[in-house]
Amino acid sequence: MKRVILFLGGLTLTLVLLGVLVASSSPDGLEAVAESLGFSDRAVEGEPYSPFADYEFRLIDSSWPAQVTAGLLGVALMYGFGIVFGRLVRRGRGG
Amino acid sequence: MHIPDGFLSVPVWAALDLAAIPSVGYFVRRTQRSFEDSRIPLLGVLGSFVFAAQMINFPVVAGTSGHLIGGALLAFTLGPSAATVVMTAILLVQALVFQDGGLLALGANVINMAVVGVWVGYVPMKLLGGRGPNLRGFAAFLGGWLSLMAAALLAAVELSLSDMAPSGPLFASMLGIHAVTGVAEGLITAVTLTAIQRLNRSFVLPSEAA
């Protein structure tokens, strides 16, 4: 179990640190379909209210650190969720 | 394929928000009943991994891109009930913090990717997983591909009900493009699970003995 956790943890950090350098910014499948069928302008984008909108921390100008900061925040939030949910699972069975 | 706000009509997103709440609640309780204690540390580890993987878009065909969704991957490592809950948390964080996927459309995205995508993706391993390592690899690939196709099909149904575009071209293009992206989803799922299985033989669910 420990080896699997180390493997997945290492993979996660590699994805955040290096993946953002090579990620494609082309439209994804749904965006491409919306463009070709002419309904992409129906998306309500609105003003970015979050400082992390589109996976970039707005307070940093340079793109790699801005994306890595956003990525690490997301990773930390999901890890935190896992801890909270794990407690809920244990408590749910009265253990 | 995170649906943004504005793509779905009010009855469609409202119905799916209403459907998503009790569905996820049901899978939370199911996880509480049946989740193995030894796998509890993985909830955060796999949630983080799938979140990070979803950030990285790779080129697909004709100027489009895709990224791993990871529904089948989560189902094969956490079991499908916990996978639904973790995927829901990922979609929630993406919508609230990163403004990826609409807030009103969150229920639709949860039903497509966290509920149907996860459970459809789980089926091949459930059926073929006990029949040797080669079939397990194939089941992982097929699970990844099917989970993406199921989510794309549902998204097309929802967009069609919302009168965004004529159904014929909508279904053809959504399923066509995701049939290709799904190959990458399947390959990433199979390669990751095979690597994990080398580290720990009993890790991938349902385990071989079952």
Side-chain angles (χ1 to χ4, degrees), chain B residues 44-108:
Chain B
V45 173
L46 276 152
S48 304
F49 170 66
V50 170
F51 171 86
Q54 287 202 10
M55 264 184 77
I56 313 302
N57 281 61
F58 45 78
V60 185
V61 277
T64 68
S65 73
H67 59 73
L68 182 82
I69 302 287
L73 185 66
L74 287 178
F76 299 148
T77 48
L78 298 174
S81 296
T84 292
V85 180
V86 169
M87 187 66 88
T88 300
I90 293 174
L91 294 169
L92 186 69
V93 163
Q94 287 170 332
L96 285 175
V97 181
F98 301 100
Q99 293 188 249
D100 185 15
L103 288 174
L104 301 174
L106 185 59

Side-chain angles (χ1 to χ4, degrees), chain A residues 37-52:
Chain A
L37 298 181
F39 64 91
S40 58
D41 57 341
R42 299 285 291 271
V44 181
E45 297 285 340
E47 287 297 300
Y49 58 80
S50 164
F52 298 96

Side-chain angles (χ1 to χ4, degrees), chain A residues 6-75:
Chain A
L6 284 175
F7 170 71
L8 287 169
L11 215 52
T12 304
L13 288 181
T14 309
L15 281 170
V16 172
L17 294 175
L18 301 180
V20 295
L21 293 173
V22 296
S24 161
S25 53
S26 303
D28 76 7
L30 174 59
E31 288 162 356
V33 168
E35 274 169 33
S36 73
L37 298 181
F39 64 91
S40 58
D41 57 341
R42 299 285 291 271
V44 181
E45 297 285 340
E47 287 297 300
Y49 58 80
S50 164
F52 298 96
D54 296 326
Y55 304 95
E56 286 202 42
F57 185 33
R58 302 278 148 183
L59 301 181
I60 299 178
D61 277 336
S62 169
S63 91
W64 183 75
Q67 290 173 325
V68 169
T69 311
L72 290 178
L73 172 72
V75 164

Side-chain angles (χ1 to χ4, degrees), chain B residues 5-128:
Chain B
D5 283 329
F7 276 12
L8 300 179
S9 62
V10 178
V12 172
W13 64 250
L16 291 164
D17 282 341
L18 284 177
I21 295 165
S23 312
V24 175
Y26 169 77
F27 290 118
V28 168
R29 284 191 302 278
R30 248 183 91 128
T31 307
Q32 285 180 312
R33 273 203 307 273
S34 60
F35 199 69
E36 288 170 46
D37 276 356
S38 65
R39 282 180 195 255
I40 284 179
L42 294 167
L43 292 167
V45 173
L46 276 152
S48 304
F49 170 66
V50 170
F51 171 86
Q54 287 202 10
M55 264 184 77
I56 313 302
N57 281 61
F58 45 78
V60 185
V61 277
T64 68
S65 73
H67 59 73
L68 182 82
I69 302 287
L73 185 66
L74 287 178
F76 299 148
T77 48
L78 298 174
S81 296
T84 292
V85 180
V86 169
M87 187 66 88
T88 300
I90 293 174
L91 294 169
L92 186 69
V93 163
Q94 287 170 332
L96 285 175
V97 181
F98 301 100
Q99 293 188 249
D100 185 15
L103 288 174
L104 301 174
L106 185 59
N109 287 321
V110 165
I111 295 289
N112 297 354
M113 290 180 269
V115 179
V116 175
V118 163
W119 285 83
V120 168
Y122 188 64
V123 170
M125 192 67 88
K126 182 83 186 159
L127 296 179
L128 303 173

Side-chain angles (χ1 to χ4, degrees), chain B residues 136-173:
Chain B
R136 282 179 82 78
F138 173 70
F141 172 83
L142 190 62
W145 189 82
L146 279 177
S147 72
L148 200 68
M149 289 303 274
L153 176 66
L154 264 184
V157 169
E158 292 152 8
L159 293 166
S160 168
L161 288 172
S162 304
D163 286 327
M164 278 296 114
S167 324
L170 193 51
F171 281 90
S173 50

